[in-house]
Amino acid sequence: MTEHSGHSGYSEKDVQREVTELEGKSATAARIFDLRRIIGLLFVLYGLIVGITGLTDSDAAIEKAQGVNINLWTGLGMLLLGVFFLVWLKLRPTPPPTPHVLPEEQDSE
């Protein structure tokens, strides 16, 4: 097989290198935009906001909820759920995609 394809001017090695670079960028983007990270960060953020609101609630607001500081407990629950998602992401990160092997490459190995 020739090193250069007929009309494009790129060698097969150039094309393969470009494909490898794009696969690497795709894997990085997949790890950055993992839903566990987004969900975890949002729950931590909202949990902090709701928890702080619960800490500053008046006695009248607590009495309205039948004596339960619902904002504080909900904020703590949301915070714990967000931390759970982030720990899960840390312990089991998204695996990199497996490289695709072309049938021609399998025959030559």
Side-chain angles (χ1 to χ4, degrees), residues 23-95:
E23 285 176 346
K25 289 178 184 178
S26 175
T28 301
R31 283 192 291 274
I32 289 173
F33 294 110
D34 190 340
L35 285 179
R36 294 175 293 179
R37 175 174 290 144
I38 296 168
I39 291 171
L41 289 174
L42 284 175
F43 267 102
V44 166
L45 178 66
Y46 291 145
L48 287 173
I49 292 170
V50 173
I52 290 170
T53 302
L55 289 173
T56 60
D57 272 347
S58 66
D59 289 336
I62 294 172
E63 280 305 312
K64 199 187 283 188
Q66 298 180 351
V68 177
N69 193 342
I70 194 73
N71 285 333
L72 181 62
W73 289 109
T74 303
L76 285 174
M78 293 173 76
L79 188 61
L80 288 174
L81 183 64
V83 168
F84 167 76
F85 271 96
L86 295 175
V87 167
W88 180 22
L89 176 68
K90 185 72 172 172
L91 294 177
R92 297 197 47 123
T94 306

